[in-house]
Amino acid sequence: GLFFREVAVRNSHLIPKSGPVIFLVAPHHNQFVDPVILLMHASRRVYYLTAAASMRRKFIGFYGRCFRGIPVERQQDLAKKGEGRIKLEDRYAEPTLISGIGTKFTDQIKVGMKILLPKDAGQARVEEVISDTELRISKEMKELEAIEALTQPDGTPYKVAPHIDQDDMYKAVYQRLNHGECIGIFPEGGSHDRTEMLPLKAGATIMALGATAENPELGLKIVPTGLNYFHPSKFRSRAVIDFGQPIDIPMDLVEKYRQGGDAKRDACNELLQIATDGLKQVTLNTPDYETLRLIQAGRRLYQPTQHSLTMAQQVELTRRFIKGYTVYRDLPEVKELRDRVEDYNMQLRYYGIRDHQVETMQVGRLHAGALFLWRLLWLLLMGLVALPGTVLNIPVFIVTGVFSKRKARQALAASTVKVRARDVIATWKILIALVLVPLLYSVYSVLAVVFVRRAPQWAQPYVGPVADLPSWAIYLCSWFLASFMSYTALVFGEQAIDIVKSVRPLFLTLILGEEHTELLVAQREDLSNDITELVNELGPKIYPEFSKTRVKEQLGDDKTTHANIINESADAFHRKMREGEQAIRQRIGPVGRKSRRQRAEGDAPKYRFNPPTPSTMDQLNSISPL
């Protein structure tokens, strides 16, 4: 409730009210924060599979046990660097014979261990250790990256991972499931910050099929669960948790699992594919960040029938845009719109504003000047309310920011799948704050007691009313006051940040004038209309119920943060500011801007990318305080 401004829940009614459940959760974008969000919104008690390496850490292990974690060993956590380098002498005649350069296979490797290549290029089980420089693996490594690494003249470095016996872990999982409880699994095997899911591990399907094979009357269900963050590493961002349709365990796959061997492997793969398809229905998956940004821009420009969308509806609409773009990306009209959206985004970056701020620029200079001064006044008022709590928490902001970035660099260096390691930032911010904030407030409270007891002469009139209180009462009152000031700063600070973001477009209108900013407004309007028209044309071809669901379907049942007197006070401040703006708009009157139809009738130019001139940018940079 503090780190995230809002967490919306979608389709929570699909969670079975009783009986064993395996929650398959993806994408794993927020390390130890993801389990907490599921725990708070699953409406069932959940036991988690947690990396044993994390459980062995003192601080993190304590919280892992509090969240009912079931430790599971991962081979990458136990892998050690192998001595020397390895290579394939003859990949055609002897594709399973590995040769070593400066290696000591007989001392370091035993049958059953695994050899891991760098950057997840490949791995293989050791079948036979022949000598210090030769060993045989169970099967050929056919991955292109593995072949390239092993056929280098000087070989490749490698790691050695011991064989892991997971019997105790499986027994613990089966025991929980047989008691009708829930297990939470992150099947990607680790957290990451990619825009698409990693390949799922087969462990979840082994658990599901194995538990059902032991108890055919178990009634186990798998619930695909999608976690979608707007800005996973940022304080006071938003998130959506989406529960998918429960998946029953097919009994024909259970029978194949009982047969063992290749039939068992095929059964696990089939169930894994079913689970993967279910997860894709509740997650956002794009090949790269550029595509994700393009899709999000298109979704913002699209005009739904509802005046505004809830957060869960925005995520569902983005998911549908991804599917539509994947199907129709090669159409000429889609390519044209893609280029126009990229031009529009580039122009927004030139101006330094966001898409939702363009509407603010539909005013003249007089109107913009009045609104600019009005919002600066309210920014000053809200800033004064938020200032004391902000100053109190400056050490928290600094320490959490520096420490979390350091941990992100360490995680990035140790990972082969992370892009920027943003998946660990929120976790470390929260963990550090859980220790630092109580400690800091305790120091403030002790200083308050000392100040009251040893107040100088000039401060006697101010501390007089509390001087007779016992020290413990002064300590508790100071603790409460620090907490109250911090939360007040949090709520009013959010309102102040929203105002700051709205000041930039008004300032640009003042500097550039209506004539220049109107081009950007008109470009957005034309682009929005064209995207809406194309989506309404192509949408029914993918979603037959498009015409109905576009108007009637409720895509999410949002649960927002709790309301209290501080939130209501901040909202009242914001309403007063908006009422004052309405009065300003009525006093000044509408701006004489031509309608879209009038521009079309007058041979209006085609609005393309139109960045401000260098002289204009120099003028902005020299004047703008932002």
Side-chain angles (χ1 to χ4, degrees):
L2 285 178
F3 190 86
F4 291 102
R5 180 184 294 195
E6 181 182 0
V7 177
V9 184
R10 184 170 182 265
N11 294 329
S12 58
H13 64 280
L14 295 177
I15 301 174
K17 303 299 182 185
S18 60
V21 173
I22 292 180
F23 289 98
L24 282 188
V25 190
H28 197 4
H29 277 173
N30 232 341
Q31 208 177 26
F32 300 113
V33 177
D34 293 341
V36 179
I37 292 182
L38 177 61
L39 189 69
M40 294 176 63
H41 299 94
S43 71
R44 295 283 303 272
R45 179 170 179 162
V46 182
Y47 293 84
Y48 292 100
L49 290 185
T50 307
S54 298
M55 297 289 282
R56 285 191 287 266
R57 297 182 184 179
K58 291 183 179 179
F59 193 55
I60 296 177
F62 170 77
Y63 285 100
R65 288 184 288 274
C66 290
F67 293 135
R68 302 184 285 273
I70 299 175
V72 52
E73 289 287 3
R74 301 184 304 179
Q75 65 178 18
Q76 61 263 39
D77 296 329
L78 301 178
K80 295 182 180 180
K81 182 179 179 180
E83 190 169 341
R85 302 170 75 88
I86 59 175
K87 60 183 295 187
L88 276 174
E89 291 290 354
D90 191 340
R91 56 167 294 205
Y92 298 105
E94 294 282 357
T96 61
L97 183 63
I98 301 295
S99 300
I101 304 174
T103 54
K104 295 182 179 180
F105 290 155
T106 56
D107 293 335
Q108 193 174 20
I109 300 177
K110 292 181 173 58
V111 174
M113 288 186 170
K114 285 188 176 181
I115 290 179
L116 310 179
L117 299 183
K119 299 181 179 180
D120 283 342
Q123 58 178 277
R125 180 179 176 275
V126 177
E127 188 74 20
E128 179 187 4
V129 178
I130 301 173
S131 66
D132 276 342
T133 57
E134 283 189 335
L135 60 81
R136 191 173 297 278
I137 56 179
S138 58
K139 61 180 181 179
E140 177 186 0
M141 295 191 201
K142 297 181 179 181
E143 299 87 352
L144 179 60
E145 295 83 357
I147 294 174
E148 290 179 351
L150 290 171
T151 54
Q152 294 179 17
D154 58 345
T156 179
Y158 66 102
K159 289 185 177 181
V160 179
H163 172 71
I164 299 175
D165 185 358
Q166 301 285 17
D167 287 346
D168 291 339
M169 182 270 295
Y170 282 113
K171 289 179 181 178
V173 170
Y174 294 164
Q175 181 182 9
R176 297 300 180 191
L177 294 177
N178 283 315
H179 282 82
E181 298 188 74
C182 304
I183 299 294
I185 302 176
F186 296 91
E188 295 167 289
S191 63
H192 64 95
D193 55 346
R194 293 181 175 272
T195 58
E196 59 182 347
M197 291 190 303
L198 299 179
L200 305 188
K201 308 294 184 182
T205 60
I206 296 175
M207 294 173 195
L209 292 171
T212 306
E214 287 188 1
N215 182 6
E217 305 299 325
L218 186 61
L220 174 64
K221 295 184 183 297
I222 297 175
V223 177
T225 306
L227 285 175
N228 303 286
Y229 296 96
F230 283 72
H231 300 283
S233 62
K234 290 187 177 180
F235 184 59
R236 302 304 287 172
S237 58
R238 294 178 170 88
V240 175
I241 181 170
D242 195 347
F243 297 99
Q245 192 71 34
I247 301 171
D248 294 315
I249 309 302
M251 292 308 298
D252 60 323
L253 296 184
V254 176
E255 292 300 326
K256 292 177 65 176
Y257 179 86
R258 287 182 177 139
Q259 296 173 19
D262 292 338
K264 177 180 178 179
R265 188 178 302 107
D266 292 341
C268 291
N269 290 336
E270 288 183 41
L271 184 57
L272 187 64
Q273 186 58 52
I274 295 173
T276 301
D277 293 339
L279 277 172
K280 287 182 178 180
Q281 300 301 315
V282 292
T283 56
L284 303 178
N285 294 277
T286 59
D288 48 54
Y289 279 103
E290 289 72 21
T291 303
L292 180 60
R293 282 194 290 263
L294 177 67
I295 295 296
Q296 290 174 336
R299 188 261 299 165
R300 288 192 299 268
L301 291 165
Y302 176 67
Q303 301 172 12
T305 53
Q306 295 95 331
H307 179 67
S308 61
L309 297 177
T310 65
M311 194 165 59
Q313 288 173 329
Q314 292 178 30
V315 171
E316 175 61 20
L317 186 59
T318 303
R319 188 177 297 121
R320 295 189 176 198
F321 261 69
I322 292 173
K323 183 175 181 180
Y325 181 73
T326 303
V327 174
Y328 295 117
R329 63 187 305 168
D330 294 328
L331 291 181
E333 52 266 45
V334 174
K335 291 182 178 180
E336 180 191 1
L337 282 177
R338 179 187 61 198
D339 294 339
R340 290 172 60 190
V341 170
E342 290 175 351
D343 286 348
Y344 173 70
N345 283 337
M346 188 179 297
Q347 191 164 352
L348 292 181
R349 289 194 292 270
Y350 263 82
Y351 284 110
I353 60 177
R354 302 291 181 88
D355 173 69
H356 68 273
Q357 296 173 318
V358 174
E359 184 180 1
T360 312
M361 304 174 73
Q362 300 185 65
V363 293
R365 274 181 168 165
L366 180 61
H367 196 172
L371 291 177
F372 182 81
L373 294 176
W374 179 254
R375 293 189 180 183
L376 283 183
L377 173 63
W378 281 97
L379 180 61
L380 177 62
L381 293 176
M382 289 193 171
L384 290 175
V385 175
L387 182 61
T390 303
V391 172
L392 286 178
N393 289 280
I394 285 178
V396 178
F397 300 147
I398 295 175
V399 173
T400 55
V402 172
F403 200 86
S404 62
K405 290 179 181 178
R406 181 184 302 172
K407 287 294 182 180
R409 288 194 295 269
Q410 295 174 356
L412 183 61
S415 174
T416 59
V417 298
K418 301 182 190 296
V419 179
R420 299 179 184 175
R422 289 179 293 191
D423 54 301
V424 305
I425 292 179
T427 292
W428 282 104
K429 284 182 178 179
I430 293 175
L431 291 177
I432 295 169
L434 286 173
V435 175
L436 186 58
V437 169
L439 179 63
L440 188 64
Y441 290 3
S442 298
V443 171
Y444 289 152
S445 300
V446 170
L447 292 177
V449 173
V450 173
F451 180 77
V452 170
R453 294 291 180 245
R454 301 181 181 180
Q457 189 67 31
W458 61 268
Q460 291 294 337
Y462 302 101
V463 301
V466 297
D468 296 332
L469 293 176
S471 296
W472 63 267
I474 298 175
Y475 179 89
L476 292 179
C477 290
S478 301
W479 229 100
F480 173 78
L481 182 60
S483 303
F484 178 80
M485 292 169 63
S486 298
Y487 194 71
T488 302
L490 179 67
V491 177
F492 280 83
E494 287 179 351
Q495 303 281 3
I497 291 174
D498 291 339
I499 296 175
V500 169
K501 292 178 180 178
S502 69
V503 167
R504 171 81 177 183
L506 295 174
F507 186 77
L508 287 173
T509 304
L510 281 173
I511 300 300
L512 301 177
E514 175 190 355
E515 298 80 7
H516 196 92
T517 58
E518 188 181 32
L519 293 174
L520 181 62
V521 175
Q523 180 184 359
R524 186 194 189 282
E525 181 183 346
D526 290 342
L527 187 56
S528 177
N529 290 336
D530 292 342
I531 288 177
T532 303
E533 181 180 350
L534 184 61
V535 169
N536 292 343
E537 176 186 346
L538 299 178
K541 298 179 181 179
I542 300 179
Y543 298 97
E545 76 286 3
F546 179 84
S547 59
K548 296 181 180 179
T549 57
R550 183 169 179 260
V551 180
K552 298 179 181 179
E553 184 181 14
Q554 295 298 321
L555 299 176
D557 50 322
D558 289 11
K559 294 180 181 178
T560 55
T561 53
H562 55 280
N564 54 37
I565 189 171
I566 300 178
N567 283 323
E568 292 173 357
S569 300
D571 291 340
F573 264 69
H574 211 70
R575 284 195 299 271
K576 289 294 183 182
M577 185 191 76
R578 292 300 182 188
E579 291 172 2
E581 289 187 3
Q582 292 298 328
I584 292 175
R585 293 177 189 276
Q586 294 174 3
R587 180 69 60 87
I588 296 178
V591 179
R593 179 175 176 267
K594 292 183 179 181
S595 66
R596 185 169 181 269
R597 178 178 297 179
Q598 291 172 331
R599 293 197 310 272
E601 294 174 352
D603 295 329
K606 185 177 182 180
Y607 295 110
R608 298 292 291 174
F609 177 50
N610 185 43
T613 62
S615 60
T616 304
M617 291 303 299
D618 292 340
Q619 185 182 10
L620 288 174
N621 292 332
S622 62
I623 297 176
S624 173
L626 304 179

